[in-house]
Amino acid sequence: MLRRRAGGESVEQIQPDLIIPTGKRKGQNPSVASIYRALAEHAKREAYPEAVEQAHADFAALQIGEVPGPRGTDEVPQMLGAVQ
C-alpha cells in the first residue's frame, strides 16, 4: 500500500485491492477512512521512532509486573505553582 501510495495512486484506487485478513469483516475491503488512519499511524511511527520504542519498553515492563518510573525532569513539563 505504501509503495502504491508513493507511486501516486489515490487511496480510493488502492482500496479494492486490500482485503481484511481476520475478524468480523474478514474477506472484505477496509473503508477509505481505515486506510487513511493506517497511513497516519505509519507516518507518526516514522516521525517519532523513539516514542514507539519507549512505549514498547514500558509495555514489556508492565507485562512482567514492573512499574516504569517517572521520566526525567527534562522530559516532563513542570506545572506552574506545583508543590515540590
Side-chain angles (χ1 to χ4, degrees), residues 2-82:
L2 294 172
R3 189 174 349 146
R4 290 177 64 183
R5 186 78 172 124
E9 289 188 60
S10 71
V11 170
E12 290 80 6
Q13 292 171 321
I14 298 170
Q15 184 220 13
D17 298 329
L18 299 176
I19 305 292
I20 298 173
T22 61
K24 187 166 97 173
R25 296 197 53 213
K26 179 179 180 177
Q28 297 179 12
N29 304 99
S31 68
V32 172
S34 293
I35 297 169
Y36 278 115
R37 278 193 299 272
L39 289 169
E41 178 67 25
H42 176 74
K44 187 168 43 169
R45 286 175 183 250
E46 291 290 308
Y48 303 103
E50 67 282 348
V52 174
E53 290 174 24
Q54 185 62 53
H56 285 279
D58 289 350
F59 182 74
L62 286 172
Q63 294 295 76
I64 60 173
E66 295 179 10
V67 178
R71 307 276 187 258
T73 56
D74 58 330
E75 297 177 33
V76 180
Q78 296 297 319
M79 296 192 59
L80 296 175

